[in-house]
Amino acid sequence: MHTVVVGTAGVTASDVLAVARGGARVELCGEAVAALAAARATVDALAAKPDPVYGVSTGFGALATRHISPELRARLQRNIVRSHAAGMGPRVEREVVRALMFLRLKTVCSGRTGVRPEVARTMADVLNAGITPVVHEYGSLGCSGDLAPLSHCALTLMGEGEAEGPDGTVRPAGELLAEHGITPVELREKEGLALLNGTDGMLGMLVMALADLDTLYTSADVTAALTLEALLGTDKVLAPELHAIRPHPGQAASAANMAAVLAGSGLTGHHQDDAPRVQDAYSVRCAPQVAGAGRDTLAHARLVAERELAAAVDNPVVLPDGRVESNGNFHGAPVAYVLDFLAIAVADLASIAERRTDRLLDKNRSHGLPPFLADDPGVDSGLMIAQYTQAALVSELKRLAVPASADSIPSSAMQEDHVSMGWSAARKLRTAVDNLTRVIAVELYAATRALQLREGLTPAPASRAVIDAVRRAGIEGPGPDRFLAPDLAAADAFVRDGRLVEAAETVTGPLR
């Protein structure tokens, strides 16, 4: 099994994906253990002094003015975890919780939190045992970090609350730890606070969304090319010299992908022989510009994610010179903004895909295709309601594009009076990514059917490869009306697991 070694300098997106989705093992390197021990010595020294230090010998948030005596500090750390584990609503996905736990471990290993090495080792042990704390949908305002979700994870380290075992069964966390030989941690000064004060949930969801969207943006280039071809459009608008004079890198990449898919097509530009069109509709002609803008948004979001993956987010932090200082680095604004920005780009990509699908189904705009791509229009409805479903998804995506980060709701007796709502931005982006996948699947379903209805014209070799792969996947082609939901679900899976891109690349080579 793949192993991810955590040091003091942060982790990569591929590390997060390996642990969250691939079940990779986690190990601490010697450098991290030494940094943990050194930072802990600093915290212990401060704890022995009479002067109050936030998070070490004081209460938290609006209660930070109370100095806590030594005999109450272990109780204080337990209590902050118990009281902050106040999430409600449905459980979040296992991969999100694993990303959340791994990213908190990453920060702990930076040597900036003051957590003992044994606590970090227990975090790794829980991940490696496949134990997943029960974390709920609601409870994080994205400041101070993802408090409630992280608290539910910390509760499991203490042997309390509920968690899911490697067999998928939810049981008391203490039982699961015992079965795997893991001793629950007894928290000391600052450790409870350090386990729950970070942007780890929203960051983990950002990393996974970026990975999914990399595939989906290439998938959308493929389906846009198939639709252009099925509509007998012109591929001249994809010429690299046209995109060079507006040098957005994402636009050039999308145009290059579409051109690669359409190479050798016997359909593109065919309309010029009998029904001249000066130019294609925006949803076809401007596909690279819209998808390209989204690609550039992904690039910006990836830069933010990389910076956050290298960060040590906690409050207070142990600095290299031995100071323990309060700060505001836990505020989720940098991550929240790009999560919302991505939701806008996703909604627009879905919107233009839906417009292309509608054009394929409209006999007045499809340049010779049967109404709704039906076998016997009037007796058969064809893909009429598949487009309704796609339109409903796009409408939902537009609502999900409303930014969460533009909102703020005060908490903690006005001590935390401006929050990021980054967790909420991440949760709605996950829904948006799922819905975009479905929208692209409907366009794929319509475009492959339309291409097969163009009798006497030869699709591009890459298009033919996609059609063949779709049919091998059990997704039926043109014919009389049938139960559509299973076909659409199969098309969704075909896009979601990357088979669409793989099919095109058997001809084109690697797409961008």
Side-chain angles (χ1 to χ4, degrees):
M1 181 180 290
H2 179 60
T3 298
V4 173
V5 178
V6 183
T8 60
V11 297
T12 66
S14 61
D15 291 336
V16 177
L17 295 170
V19 173
R21 291 179 166 173
R25 288 187 57 79
V26 178
E27 291 181 4
L28 313 185
C29 75
E31 178 191 24
V33 173
L36 284 159
R40 185 64 210 177
T42 299
V43 170
D44 286 340
L46 288 171
K49 294 181 178 180
D51 300 325
V53 177
Y54 177 69
V56 176
S57 53
T58 71
F60 310 112
L63 302 176
T65 56
R66 178 176 172 183
H67 183 259
I68 307 299
S69 59
E71 66 273 12
L72 295 177
R73 289 176 189 169
R75 177 180 163 192
L76 169 69
Q77 300 301 320
R78 288 194 303 271
N79 284 352
I80 190 175
V81 173
R82 289 168 175 165
S83 65
H84 285 45
M88 295 182 72
R91 289 174 56 195
V92 302
E93 304 83 359
R94 182 176 185 270
E95 66 177 15
V96 172
V97 180
R98 285 185 62 82
L100 175 78
M101 295 168 66
F102 175 66
L103 288 168
R104 183 73 327 218
L105 175 61
K106 174 268 297 183
T107 287
V108 164
C109 287
S110 69
R112 298 285 169 259
T113 69
V115 167
R116 288 169 295 153
E118 49 264 48
V119 176
R121 289 193 186 97
T122 302
M123 297 171 75
D125 289 343
V126 169
L127 282 166
N128 293 338
I131 297 171
T132 307
V134 171
V135 174
H136 299 278
E137 181 83 18
Y138 303 105
S140 173
L141 301 179
C143 191
S144 302
D146 294 317
L147 288 174
L150 283 163
S151 296
H152 282 275
C153 293
L155 200 65
T156 293
L157 298 178
M158 293 165 49
E160 300 181 17
E162 291 187 320
E164 179 186 294
D167 63 353
T169 303
V170 174
R171 296 167 53 197
E175 291 181 10
L176 288 168
L177 295 186
E179 282 185 8
H180 289 84
I182 301 171
T183 302
V185 298
E186 296 182 8
L187 300 176
R188 289 169 46 179
E189 289 93 344
K190 195 183 178 301
E191 290 180 334
L193 185 61
L195 291 176
L196 54 88
N197 206 340
T199 57
D200 308 292
M202 64 183 91
L203 175 58
M205 287 186 274
L206 173 60
V207 169
M208 289 185 283
L210 288 168
D212 294 337
L213 289 171
D214 275 343
T215 299
L216 288 176
Y217 266 83
T218 304
S219 299
D221 291 339
V222 175
T223 58
L226 297 178
T227 298
L228 182 152
E229 193 174 22
L231 291 171
L232 307 178
T234 177
D235 58 356
K236 290 182 178 180
V237 296
L238 305 175
E241 59 268 25
L242 292 174
H243 300 280
I245 61 176
R246 194 189 190 195
H248 294 288
Q251 176 180 323
S254 283
N257 283 346
M258 290 181 66
V261 172
L262 292 171
S265 173
L267 284 85
T268 55
H270 183 80
H271 62 82
Q272 295 170 353
D273 298 333
D274 49 19
R277 274 175 276 156
V278 175
Q279 53 192 4
D280 293 311
Y282 284 10
S283 60
V284 177
R285 186 175 12 134
C286 302
Q289 285 77 9
V290 172
R295 284 173 171 271
D296 292 342
T297 302
L298 287 176
H300 171 61
R302 190 171 293 108
L303 176 62
V304 172
E306 288 169 355
R307 290 169 176 165
E308 199 76 359
L309 287 168
V313 176
D314 193 16
N315 180 48
V317 291
V318 181
L319 295 173
D321 61 7
R323 286 180 295 145
V324 176
E325 297 285 1
S326 293
N327 66 92
N329 284 341
F330 50 73
H331 199 289
V335 182
Y337 290 168
V338 294
L339 288 163
D340 280 332
F341 198 176
L342 288 173
I344 293 169
V346 163
D348 202 36
L349 185 64
S351 179
I352 197 170
E354 183 275 329
R355 287 293 80 207
R356 290 192 296 264
T357 304
D358 182 65
R359 187 165 287 272
L360 287 168
L361 305 188
D362 184 351
K363 70 180 183 66
N364 296 311
R365 295 179 291 139
S366 66
H367 308 286
L369 290 169
F372 304 106
L373 306 181
D375 186 62
D376 185 4
V379 174
D380 294 312
S381 295
L383 305 191
M384 179 190 295
I385 308 304
Q387 185 268 330
Y388 280 37
T389 299
Q390 192 186 42
L393 290 163
V394 170
S395 182
E396 173 72 5
L397 281 164
K398 292 174 182 177
R399 291 189 290 274
L400 291 168
V402 175
S405 58
D407 186 29
S408 176
I409 188 163
S411 57
S412 192
M414 293 299 286
Q415 175 72 4
E416 298 171 10
D417 59 351
H418 185 276
V419 297
S420 77
M421 303 307 297
W423 173 274
S424 299
R427 295 305 296 165
K428 68 184 183 66
L429 179 60
R430 283 182 70 82
T431 302
V433 170
D434 275 347
N435 285 352
L436 173 62
T437 308
R438 298 179 180 113
V439 168
I440 293 172
V442 175
E443 183 179 17
L444 171 67
Y445 190 65
T448 52
R449 178 184 282 209
L451 283 169
Q452 289 189 279
L453 290 170
R454 293 291 190 189
E455 296 180 1
L457 298 173
T458 305
S463 302
R464 184 73 257 171
V466 169
I467 294 169
D468 291 345
V470 165
R471 300 295 171 249
R472 287 195 301 271
I475 304 165
E476 296 189 34
D481 280 357
R482 56 183 170 271
F483 181 22
L484 271 188
D487 272 356
L488 296 178
D492 176 22
F494 189 80
V495 173
R496 192 175 299 271
D497 63 18
R499 281 178 287 162
L500 169 57
V501 175
E502 290 173 3
E505 287 181 336
T506 60
V507 175
T508 64
L511 295 171
R512 296 162 67 179

